[in-house]
Amino acid sequence: MDPTTDNGPTGDPRSSRASLEALRAEISKAVVGQDPAVTGLVVALLCRGHVLLEGVPGVAKTLLVRALAASLELDTKRVQFTPDLMPSDITGSLVYDARTTEFSFQPGPVFTNLLLADEINRTPPKTQSSLLEAMEERQVTVDGTPRPLPEPFLVAATQNPVEYEGTYPLPEAQLDRFLLKLTVPLPSRQDEIDVLTRHVEGFNPRDLRAAGVRPVAGPTDLEAARAAVAKTSISPEITAYVVDVCRATRESPSLTLGVSPRGATALLSTARAWAWLTGRDYVIPDDVKALALPTLRHRVQLRPEAEMEGVTADSVINAILAHVPVPR
């Protein structure tokens, strides 16, 4: 079935794909040279997943998420994670109303469509864990009462990979809740020249509207796109290929922890979304390869001796992709 001709429950998938392509173009008005990260955010929206953005300070991680929010007709909130942040500062709490002599629930910033969790590794594990239920169950439980979060709901978290003083590394259980881990590298020379040129011409990263960033997609487009992605076909050979790639990580001598079945499911979902974004209604091995690194790199754990030798999660996954037989 071709998703470009099959109307979803809330709109035309063909126009939805165009809207999401426009979304990528709109973000580029504010962010230069980070196309893979932009694409990753769009894939996460299609898969109802969350994103961890990792990069040194000053590479536009926060600006990237703010530009995404400005390009969508969605509610968005930002939380700056600090060592003294409490779980109730994120989820909300019961507040006593002296007029009614009753407690009422005051929603926290997690009750939004797009939550920017800035520098998530700067807050203690207790506060980090307050996001686990929200990310996995799409709800928050306060005083024994579950409260559903808005739909769509996406957490975009940022962290600095080189500064460890005053940080709390994310536990594996929470890392596994992120659909994608996107690295935001330093720009190329030409991209950096373009960034500075924009600033010379008056670009203000705090005023995205003045930069021309406008909402170009909304919940209707997302719902139609997700329905079309769900109809993108996956052959048994591709499913087996995903399983073989993930099982190979469990057997790698460089890793103490391989990819779980949840990770394999995530890779299948992201490959499916990428196939649809590129205009196909079926998944090919190249779709799996294209999304393997961002989907799997945070779900594996290196052996200390491999780390000392300069081995990285990305290099292990690339080696696995080079050796696992590709279906014909």
Coordinates of all heavy atoms in Angstrom, one line a residue, residues 16-43 45-46 64 67-68 71-72 198 213-214 216-217 273-279:
S16 N 1.2 15.6 4.8 CA 1.9 15.6 6.0 C 3.4 15.4 5.8 O 4.2 16.0 6.6 CB 1.3 14.4 6.8 OG 0.0 14.6 7.1
R17 N 3.8 14.6 4.8 CA 5.2 14.5 4.6 C 5.8 15.8 4.1 O 6.9 16.2 4.5 CB 5.4 13.4 3.5 CG 6.9 13.1 3.2 CD 7.1 12.2 2.0 NE 6.8 10.8 2.4 CZ 5.9 10.1 1.7 NH1 5.2 10.7 0.8 NH2 5.7 8.9 2.0
A18 N 5.0 16.5 3.3 CA 5.5 17.8 2.9 C 5.6 18.8 4.0 O 6.6 19.6 4.1 CB 4.5 18.4 1.8
S19 N 4.7 18.7 5.0 CA 4.8 19.6 6.2 C 6.0 19.2 7.0 O 6.6 20.1 7.5 CB 3.5 19.4 7.1 OG 2.4 19.8 6.4
L20 N 6.3 18.0 7.2 CA 7.5 17.6 7.9 C 8.8 17.9 7.2 O 9.8 18.3 7.9 CB 7.4 16.1 8.2 CG 6.3 15.7 9.2 CD1 6.3 14.2 9.4 CD2 6.5 16.3 10.6
E21 N 8.8 17.9 5.9 CA 9.9 18.4 5.1 C 10.1 19.9 5.3 O 11.2 20.4 5.5 CB 9.7 18.1 3.6 CG 9.9 16.6 3.3 CD 11.4 16.1 3.5 OE1 12.3 17.0 3.5 OE2 11.6 14.9 3.8
A22 N 8.9 20.6 5.3 CA 9.0 22.0 5.6 C 9.5 22.3 7.0 O 10.1 23.3 7.2 CB 7.6 22.6 5.4
L23 N 9.2 21.4 7.9 CA 9.6 21.6 9.3 C 11.1 21.6 9.4 O 11.8 22.4 10.0 CB 9.0 20.4 10.2 CG 9.4 20.4 11.6 CD1 8.9 21.5 12.4 CD2 9.0 19.1 12.3
R24 N 11.7 20.7 8.6 CA 13.2 20.6 8.6 C 13.8 21.9 8.0 O 14.8 22.4 8.5 CB 13.6 19.4 7.8 CG 13.2 18.0 8.5 CD 13.3 16.9 7.5 NE 14.6 16.5 7.1 CZ 14.9 15.6 6.2 NH1 13.9 14.9 5.6 NH2 16.1 15.3 5.9
A25 N 13.1 22.4 7.0 CA 13.6 23.6 6.3 C 13.5 24.8 7.2 O 14.3 25.7 7.3 CB 12.9 23.8 5.0
E26 N 12.4 24.8 8.0 CA 12.1 25.9 8.9 C 13.1 26.0 10.0 O 13.6 27.1 10.4 CB 10.7 25.8 9.5 CG 10.1 27.1 10.0 CD 9.7 28.0 8.9 OE1 9.7 27.6 7.7 OE2 9.4 29.2 9.2
I27 N 13.5 24.8 10.6 CA 14.5 24.8 11.6 C 15.9 25.3 11.1 O 16.6 26.0 11.8 CB 14.7 23.4 12.2 CG1 13.4 22.9 12.9 CG2 15.8 23.2 13.2 CD1 13.3 21.5 13.3
S28 N 16.1 25.1 9.8 CA 17.4 25.5 9.3 C 17.5 27.0 9.2 O 18.6 27.5 9.0 CB 17.6 24.9 7.9 OG 16.7 25.4 6.9
K29 N 16.4 27.7 9.3 CA 16.5 29.2 9.4 C 17.2 29.7 10.7 O 17.8 30.8 10.7 CB 15.1 29.8 9.4 CG 14.3 29.6 8.1 CD 13.0 30.2 8.2 CE 12.2 30.0 6.9 NZ 10.8 30.6 7.0
A30 N 17.2 28.8 11.7 CA 17.9 29.2 13.0 C 19.1 28.4 13.2 O 20.0 28.9 13.9 CB 16.9 29.0 14.1
V31 N 19.2 27.1 12.8 CA 20.3 26.2 13.1 C 21.0 25.9 11.8 O 20.4 25.4 10.8 CB 19.8 25.0 13.8 CG1 21.0 24.1 14.1 CG2 19.1 25.4 15.1
V32 N 22.3 26.0 11.8 CA 23.1 25.8 10.6 C 23.9 24.5 10.7 O 24.5 24.3 11.8 CB 24.1 26.9 10.3 CG1 25.0 26.6 9.1 CG2 23.3 28.2 10.1
G33 N 23.9 23.6 9.7 CA 24.8 22.5 9.6 C 24.5 21.3 10.6 O 25.4 20.5 10.9
Q34 N 23.3 21.2 11.1 CA 23.0 20.1 12.0 C 21.8 19.3 11.4 O 20.9 18.8 12.1 CB 22.6 20.6 13.4 CG 23.7 21.4 14.1 CD 24.9 20.6 14.4 OE1 24.9 19.4 14.2 NE2 25.9 21.2 14.9
D35 N 21.8 19.0 10.1 CA 20.8 18.3 9.5 C 20.5 16.9 10.1 O 19.3 16.5 10.2 CB 21.0 18.2 8.0 CG 21.0 19.5 7.3 OD1 20.4 20.4 7.8 OD2 21.5 19.7 6.2
P36 N 21.5 16.1 10.4 CA 21.2 14.8 11.0 C 20.4 14.9 12.3 O 19.5 14.1 12.5 CB 22.6 14.2 11.2 CG 23.5 14.8 10.2 CD 23.0 16.2 10.1
A37 N 20.8 15.9 13.1 CA 20.1 16.0 14.4 C 18.6 16.5 14.1 O 17.7 16.0 14.8 CB 20.8 17.0 15.3
V38 N 18.4 17.4 13.2 CA 17.1 17.8 12.8 C 16.2 16.6 12.3 O 15.1 16.4 12.7 CB 17.1 18.9 11.7 CG1 15.7 19.2 11.2 CG2 17.8 20.2 12.3
T39 N 16.8 15.8 11.4 CA 16.1 14.6 10.9 C 15.8 13.7 12.1 O 14.7 13.1 12.1 CB 17.0 13.9 9.9 OG1 17.2 14.8 8.8 CG2 16.3 12.7 9.3
G40 N 16.7 13.5 13.0 CA 16.5 12.6 14.1 C 15.3 13.1 15.0 O 14.5 12.3 15.4
L41 N 15.2 14.4 15.2 CA 14.0 14.9 15.9 C 12.7 14.6 15.2 O 11.7 14.3 15.9 CB 14.2 16.4 16.2 CG 15.3 16.8 17.2 CD1 15.6 18.3 17.1 CD2 14.8 16.5 18.6
V42 N 12.7 14.8 13.9 CA 11.5 14.5 13.1 C 11.2 13.0 13.2 O 10.0 12.6 13.4 CB 11.7 14.9 11.7 CG1 10.5 14.5 10.8 CG2 11.9 16.4 11.6
V43 N 12.2 12.1 13.1 CA 11.9 10.7 13.3 C 11.3 10.4 14.6 O 10.4 9.5 14.8 CB 13.2 9.9 13.0 CG1 13.1 8.4 13.5 CG2 13.7 10.0 11.6
L45 N 9.5 12.3 16.5 CA 8.1 12.7 16.5 C 7.2 11.7 15.9 O 6.1 11.4 16.3 CB 8.0 14.1 15.8 CG 8.4 15.3 16.6 CD1 8.4 16.5 15.6 CD2 7.4 15.6 17.7
L46 N 7.7 11.1 14.8 CA 6.9 10.1 14.0 C 6.8 8.8 14.8 O 5.8 8.1 14.7 CB 7.6 9.8 12.7 CG 7.5 10.9 11.6 CD1 8.3 10.5 10.4 CD2 6.1 11.1 11.2
L64 N 18.3 24.3 18.8 CA 17.7 23.3 17.9 C 16.4 22.9 18.4 O 15.4 22.8 17.6 CB 18.7 22.1 17.8 CG 18.2 20.9 16.9 CD1 18.1 21.4 15.5 CD2 19.2 19.8 17.0
A67 N 13.9 25.8 18.1 CA 13.5 26.0 16.8 C 12.5 25.0 16.3 O 11.5 25.3 15.6 CB 14.7 26.0 15.8
L68 N 12.6 23.7 16.8 CA 11.6 22.7 16.5 C 10.3 23.1 17.1 O 9.3 23.0 16.5 CB 12.1 21.4 17.1 CG 11.1 20.2 17.1 CD1 10.8 19.8 15.7 CD2 11.6 19.0 17.9
S71 N 8.6 25.8 15.2 CA 8.1 25.3 13.9 C 6.9 24.4 14.0 O 6.3 24.1 13.0 CB 9.2 24.5 13.2 OG 10.4 25.3 13.1
L72 N 6.5 24.1 15.2 CA 5.3 23.2 15.4 C 4.2 24.0 16.2 O 4.5 24.9 17.0 CB 5.7 22.0 16.3 CG 6.6 21.0 15.6 CD1 7.1 20.0 16.7 CD2 5.8 20.2 14.6
R198 N 25.3 35.2 9.9 CA 24.0 35.5 10.4 C 23.9 36.4 11.6 O 23.1 37.3 11.6 CB 23.3 34.2 10.7 CG 22.9 33.3 9.5 CD 22.1 32.1 9.9 NE 21.8 31.2 8.8 CZ 20.9 30.3 8.8 NH1 20.2 30.1 10.0 NH2 20.7 29.5 7.8
V213 N 11.2 32.1 11.7 CA 10.7 30.7 12.0 C 9.2 30.8 12.4 O 8.8 31.5 13.3 CB 11.5 30.1 13.2 CG1 11.0 28.7 13.5 CG2 13.0 30.1 12.9
R214 N 8.4 30.0 11.7 CA 7.0 30.0 11.8 C 6.5 28.6 12.0 O 7.1 27.6 11.4 CB 6.3 30.7 10.6 CG 6.6 32.1 10.4 CD 6.0 33.0 11.5 NE 6.2 34.4 11.2 CZ 7.3 35.1 11.5 NH1 8.3 34.5 12.2 NH2 7.4 36.4 11.2
V216 N 4.8 25.4 10.9 CA 4.5 24.8 9.6 C 3.9 23.4 9.7 O 3.5 22.8 8.7 CB 5.8 24.7 8.7 CG1 6.3 26.1 8.4 CG2 6.9 23.9 9.4
A217 N 3.7 22.9 10.9 CA 3.1 21.6 11.1 C 2.5 21.5 12.5 O 2.9 22.3 13.4 CB 4.2 20.4 10.9
A273 N 10.2 4.8 10.0 CA 9.9 6.2 9.9 C 10.8 6.8 8.8 O 10.3 7.7 8.0 CB 10.1 6.9 11.2
W274 N 12.1 6.4 8.8 CA 13.0 7.0 7.8 C 12.6 6.6 6.4 O 12.7 7.4 5.5 CB 14.4 6.5 8.1 CG 15.4 7.0 7.1 CD1 16.2 6.2 6.4 CD2 15.8 8.3 6.8 NE1 17.0 7.0 5.6 CE2 16.8 8.3 5.8 CE3 15.3 9.6 7.3 CZ2 17.3 9.4 5.3 CZ3 15.9 10.7 6.7 CH2 16.9 10.6 5.7
A275 N 12.2 5.3 6.2 CA 11.7 4.9 4.9 C 10.6 5.7 4.4 O 10.5 6.1 3.3 CB 11.3 3.4 5.0
W276 N 9.6 6.0 5.3 CA 8.5 6.8 4.9 C 8.9 8.2 4.6 O 8.4 8.8 3.6 CB 7.4 6.8 6.0 CG 6.2 7.6 5.6 CD1 5.1 7.2 4.8 CD2 5.9 9.0 6.0 NE1 4.2 8.2 4.7 CE2 4.7 9.3 5.4 CE3 6.6 9.9 6.8 CZ2 4.1 10.6 5.6 CZ3 6.0 11.1 7.0 CH2 4.8 11.5 6.4
L277 N 9.8 8.8 5.4 CA 10.2 10.2 5.1 C 10.9 10.3 3.8 O 10.9 11.3 3.1 CB 11.2 10.6 6.2 CG 10.6 11.3 7.5 CD1 11.7 11.5 8.5 CD2 9.8 12.5 7.1
T278 N 11.6 9.2 3.4 CA 12.3 9.3 2.1 C 11.4 8.9 0.9 O 11.9 8.9 -0.2 CB 13.5 8.3 2.1 OG1 13.1 7.0 2.5 CG2 14.6 8.8 3.1
G279 N 10.1 8.7 1.2 CA 9.2 8.5 0.1 C 8.9 7.1 -0.3 O 8.3 6.8 -1.3

